[in-house]
Amino acid sequence: MENDLSADFYDVVVRGGRVATASDVFVADIGIRDGKIVQLGSDLQPGRTEIDARGRVVTPGGVDAHCHLDQPSPPPVRMADDFDTGTLSAACGGTTTVIPFAAQQKGHSLVDAVQDYHRRSEGKAHVDYAFHLIVSDPTPTVLNDELPGLIKKGYTSFKVYMTYDDLKLDDGQILDVLDIAKRHGAIAMVHAENSDCIEWLTKRLEAMGRTAPRFHAHSRPMLVEREATHRAIALSELVDVPILIVHVSGREAIEQIRWGRAHGLNIFAETCPQYLFLTAEDLGIDDSYHGAKCVCSPPPRDKANQQVIWDGLKDGLFTVFSSDHAPFKFEGTEGKKPEGKEVSFRHIPNGIPGLETRMALLYSEGVLSGRISLEKFVELTATGPAKTYGLHPQKGAICIGADADLVIWDERDVVIKNANLHHDVDYTPYEGMKLKAWPAYTLLRGQVLWDGKSFVGPRNQGRFLPAGRPSVLPHPNLS
Ligand code: DUC
Ligand code: ZN
Ligand code: ZN
């Protein structure tokens, strides 16, 4: 390339790293100009900034395609992270794109929810972001006007819930939403748990006085997830549109997904660190309230199910590995103890923090422990989510023309301590866990955000990304 010879052609050169993509690992220099990757090769001319990556692995910046930031909750509950602390935490853990949720409230407009979410994010984010939608009230206006308009504007994925009173849809409503996804080129994400079974079990547990956090897991056994997963697959088959089942927790849901695929259905799936590293015992082996820290839905299962999840990561069952970061403080009045009180598991806000630890957990315990390849790691944490949600190849790729979002890995002993994390949550479920790696650098569009010790980047430079057509959908001329 002629320009390569002129002085200062590159703003940044990341030199000599082992560059990992979803398909290859090769040694190369990465030349960056105006925030984009413009050259991959050896012996590139010097950049104005040089980053020595020799002997280190370089991966695409993480794409966390399922996290909750500043999502309104019914008072007194409030999420601990907004776009400021949440995306700071993301950057320090190697994630350069997040996709949180603009959530419709029943009786309200979805377009208004999107506008409100832009107000919450604008000028506050430190990494780039797109929005998923949550459809909780699919009225004719929402279905026929709002959703098609929003899809055109770059909101091409939406989540539907089969549980939670304020969010859940019945099967007919889910079919209506899937039909819009099919006709307008969007992907539906499904939270698959059977609401009536959960309510029935919860009432029985409460009647027996079993209200400690650990009973959350008893109220949501695997069959609750299995039944809803099967039903979601059937609904997708009826409409003939792909879906993605989010936060798959273990064997029974996986069996349903494998069944769907064996029948030729386009069923995609996501899992999360909590299903690899936590078990139901983390919700408590006695009635201690500390278990509230790990209350999330679906709940973590057991060691055998962790292995089933690892198998699914390795063999291609999962397309996406997300944090499902849902940040609630343990202490105080707005989080796990609403109004400062220890409450029945029914009222404990669901969710755990995980944006900052997602990448290092999978790199250390997946790649460096020999469970998955480096290419698979890249696919699950960056390329897969970017493709699934219409952000590829701008995001999730190391190729000429992609945004220069990179992680350079430091393979060293690290102990996870909440005191070292950057979210605004007062705990991490992984406190004390020993890892073998952490990002040495995180770059967003060529700028160093994290240098292995602190956030050093420009603040508030995160940009909104309108999403394109999800690449997991059939080609538009064929659908
Ligand atoms: N489950 C969800 O469905 N969303 C947020 C967190 C959780 O545990
Ligand atoms: Zn969910
Ligand atoms: Zn979630």
PDB file of all heavy atoms in Angstrom, residues 127-140:
ATOM      1  N   VAL A 127     -18.257   3.152  25.979  1.00  0.00           N
ATOM      2  CA  VAL A 127     -18.069   2.219  24.856  1.00  0.00           C
ATOM      3  C   VAL A 127     -19.297   2.361  23.949  1.00  0.00           C
ATOM      4  O   VAL A 127     -20.293   3.004  24.319  1.00  0.00           O
ATOM      5  CB  VAL A 127     -17.913   0.748  25.337  1.00  0.00           C
ATOM      6  CG1 VAL A 127     -16.755   0.602  26.312  1.00  0.00           C
ATOM      7  CG2 VAL A 127     -19.210   0.199  25.945  1.00  0.00           C
ATOM      8  N   ASP A 128     -19.226   1.768  22.767  1.00  0.00           N
ATOM      9  CA  ASP A 128     -20.333   1.888  21.814  1.00  0.00           C
ATOM     10  C   ASP A 128     -21.500   1.006  22.240  1.00  0.00           C
ATOM     11  O   ASP A 128     -21.324   0.036  22.978  1.00  0.00           O
ATOM     12  CB  ASP A 128     -19.857   1.538  20.404  1.00  0.00           C
ATOM     13  CG  ASP A 128     -18.903   2.607  19.863  1.00  0.00           C
ATOM     14  OD1 ASP A 128     -18.804   3.686  20.490  1.00  0.00           O
ATOM     15  OD2 ASP A 128     -18.261   2.356  18.829  1.00  0.00           O
ATOM     16  N   TYR A 129     -22.684   1.344  21.745  1.00  0.00           N
ATOM     17  CA  TYR A 129     -23.867   0.623  22.209  1.00  0.00           C
ATOM     18  C   TYR A 129     -24.965   0.627  21.153  1.00  0.00           C
ATOM     19  O   TYR A 129     -25.114   1.566  20.385  1.00  0.00           O
ATOM     20  CB  TYR A 129     -24.404   1.224  23.523  1.00  0.00           C
ATOM     21  CG  TYR A 129     -24.760   2.697  23.433  1.00  0.00           C
ATOM     22  CD1 TYR A 129     -26.080   3.112  23.233  1.00  0.00           C
ATOM     23  CD2 TYR A 129     -23.776   3.676  23.525  1.00  0.00           C
ATOM     24  CE1 TYR A 129     -26.411   4.457  23.145  1.00  0.00           C
ATOM     25  CE2 TYR A 129     -24.093   5.026  23.421  1.00  0.00           C
ATOM     26  CZ  TYR A 129     -25.405   5.413  23.235  1.00  0.00           C
ATOM     27  OH  TYR A 129     -25.714   6.755  23.125  1.00  0.00           O
ATOM     28  N   ALA A 130     -25.702  -0.474  21.137  1.00  0.00           N
ATOM     29  CA  ALA A 130     -26.960  -0.551  20.379  1.00  0.00           C
ATOM     30  C   ALA A 130     -28.054  -0.840  21.402  1.00  0.00           C
ATOM     31  O   ALA A 130     -27.752  -1.040  22.587  1.00  0.00           O
ATOM     32  CB  ALA A 130     -26.875  -1.651  19.340  1.00  0.00           C
ATOM     33  N   PHE A 131     -29.296  -0.847  20.975  1.00  0.00           N
ATOM     34  CA  PHE A 131     -30.395  -1.186  21.894  1.00  0.00           C
ATOM     35  C   PHE A 131     -31.144  -2.413  21.371  1.00  0.00           C
ATOM     36  O   PHE A 131     -31.469  -2.484  20.182  1.00  0.00           O
ATOM     37  CB  PHE A 131     -31.455  -0.074  21.961  1.00  0.00           C
ATOM     38  CG  PHE A 131     -31.033   1.226  22.586  1.00  0.00           C
ATOM     39  CD1 PHE A 131     -31.839   2.359  22.428  1.00  0.00           C
ATOM     40  CD2 PHE A 131     -29.873   1.349  23.338  1.00  0.00           C
ATOM     41  CE1 PHE A 131     -31.496   3.573  22.995  1.00  0.00           C
ATOM     42  CE2 PHE A 131     -29.514   2.564  23.915  1.00  0.00           C
ATOM     43  CZ  PHE A 131     -30.325   3.674  23.741  1.00  0.00           C
ATOM     44  N   HIS A 132     -31.466  -3.351  22.284  1.00  0.00           N
ATOM     45  CA  HIS A 132     -32.568  -4.273  22.032  1.00  0.00           C
ATOM     46  C   HIS A 132     -33.839  -3.581  22.538  1.00  0.00           C
ATOM     47  O   HIS A 132     -33.779  -2.705  23.404  1.00  0.00           O
ATOM     48  CB  HIS A 132     -32.459  -5.555  22.856  1.00  0.00           C
ATOM     49  CG  HIS A 132     -31.222  -6.365  22.658  1.00  0.00           C
ATOM     50  ND1 HIS A 132     -30.888  -6.948  21.458  1.00  0.00           N
ATOM     51  CD2 HIS A 132     -30.258  -6.745  23.540  1.00  0.00           C
ATOM     52  CE1 HIS A 132     -29.765  -7.642  21.614  1.00  0.00           C
ATOM     53  NE2 HIS A 132     -29.356  -7.531  22.866  1.00  0.00           N
ATOM     54  N   LEU A 133     -34.974  -4.058  22.072  1.00  0.00           N
ATOM     55  CA  LEU A 133     -36.256  -3.605  22.607  1.00  0.00           C
ATOM     56  C   LEU A 133     -36.832  -4.707  23.485  1.00  0.00           C
ATOM     57  O   LEU A 133     -36.576  -5.889  23.243  1.00  0.00           O
ATOM     58  CB  LEU A 133     -37.234  -3.318  21.467  1.00  0.00           C
ATOM     59  CG  LEU A 133     -36.709  -2.418  20.343  1.00  0.00           C
ATOM     60  CD1 LEU A 133     -37.739  -2.334  19.217  1.00  0.00           C
ATOM     61  CD2 LEU A 133     -36.385  -1.031  20.886  1.00  0.00           C
ATOM     62  N   ILE A 134     -37.596  -4.320  24.502  1.00  0.00           N
ATOM     63  CA  ILE A 134     -38.421  -5.297  25.236  1.00  0.00           C
ATOM     64  C   ILE A 134     -39.870  -4.957  24.923  1.00  0.00           C
ATOM     65  O   ILE A 134     -40.315  -3.824  25.166  1.00  0.00           O
ATOM     66  CB  ILE A 134     -38.166  -5.224  26.757  1.00  0.00           C
ATOM     67  CG1 ILE A 134     -36.765  -5.774  27.078  1.00  0.00           C
ATOM     68  CG2 ILE A 134     -39.249  -6.020  27.516  1.00  0.00           C
ATOM     69  CD1 ILE A 134     -36.349  -5.636  28.536  1.00  0.00           C
ATOM     70  N   VAL A 135     -40.574  -5.906  24.349  1.00  0.00           N
ATOM     71  CA  VAL A 135     -41.977  -5.686  23.988  1.00  0.00           C
ATOM     72  C   VAL A 135     -42.842  -6.311  25.081  1.00  0.00           C
ATOM     73  O   VAL A 135     -42.899  -7.540  25.219  1.00  0.00           O
ATOM     74  CB  VAL A 135     -42.301  -6.329  22.619  1.00  0.00           C
ATOM     75  CG1 VAL A 135     -43.743  -6.017  22.222  1.00  0.00           C
ATOM     76  CG2 VAL A 135     -41.324  -5.855  21.545  1.00  0.00           C
ATOM     77  N   SER A 136     -43.492  -5.466  25.859  1.00  0.00           N
ATOM     78  CA  SER A 136     -44.318  -5.997  26.956  1.00  0.00           C
ATOM     79  C   SER A 136     -45.806  -5.755  26.724  1.00  0.00           C
ATOM     80  O   SER A 136     -46.636  -6.258  27.476  1.00  0.00           O
ATOM     81  CB  SER A 136     -43.907  -5.365  28.289  1.00  0.00           C
ATOM     82  OG  SER A 136     -44.218  -3.993  28.291  1.00  0.00           O
ATOM     83  N   ASP A 137     -46.128  -4.992  25.697  1.00  0.00           N
ATOM     84  CA  ASP A 137     -47.537  -4.671  25.433  1.00  0.00           C
ATOM     85  C   ASP A 137     -47.743  -4.521  23.919  1.00  0.00           C
ATOM     86  O   ASP A 137     -47.766  -3.398  23.392  1.00  0.00           O
ATOM     87  CB  ASP A 137     -47.890  -3.362  26.164  1.00  0.00           C
ATOM     88  CG  ASP A 137     -49.392  -3.191  26.325  1.00  0.00           C
ATOM     89  OD1 ASP A 137     -50.157  -4.052  25.820  1.00  0.00           O
ATOM     90  OD2 ASP A 137     -49.812  -2.197  26.941  1.00  0.00           O
ATOM     91  N   PRO A 138     -47.871  -5.665  23.220  1.00  0.00           N
ATOM     92  CA  PRO A 138     -47.950  -5.609  21.756  1.00  0.00           C
ATOM     93  C   PRO A 138     -49.334  -5.232  21.247  1.00  0.00           C
ATOM     94  O   PRO A 138     -50.061  -6.057  20.685  1.00  0.00           O
ATOM     95  CB  PRO A 138     -47.552  -7.027  21.341  1.00  0.00           C
ATOM     96  CG  PRO A 138     -47.926  -7.894  22.494  1.00  0.00           C
ATOM     97  CD  PRO A 138     -47.856  -7.052  23.739  1.00  0.00           C
ATOM     98  N   THR A 139     -49.702  -3.985  21.449  1.00  0.00           N
ATOM     99  CA  THR A 139     -50.984  -3.481  20.945  1.00  0.00           C
ATOM    100  C   THR A 139     -50.923  -3.398  19.422  1.00  0.00           C
ATOM    101  O   THR A 139     -49.831  -3.439  18.841  1.00  0.00           O
ATOM    102  CB  THR A 139     -51.233  -2.071  21.502  1.00  0.00           C
ATOM    103  OG1 THR A 139     -50.152  -1.233  21.031  1.00  0.00           O
ATOM    104  CG2 THR A 139     -51.267  -2.057  23.025  1.00  0.00           C
ATOM    105  N   PRO A 140     -52.078  -3.224  18.763  1.00  0.00           N
ATOM    106  CA  PRO A 140     -52.033  -3.065  17.298  1.00  0.00           C
ATOM    107  C   PRO A 140     -51.104  -1.917  16.877  1.00  0.00           C
ATOM    108  O   PRO A 140     -50.394  -2.033  15.877  1.00  0.00           O
ATOM    109  CB  PRO A 140     -53.494  -2.783  16.933  1.00  0.00           C
ATOM    110  CG  PRO A 140     -54.282  -3.489  18.018  1.00  0.00           C
ATOM    111  CD  PRO A 140     -53.457  -3.342  19.270  1.00  0.00           C
TER     112      PRO A 140
END
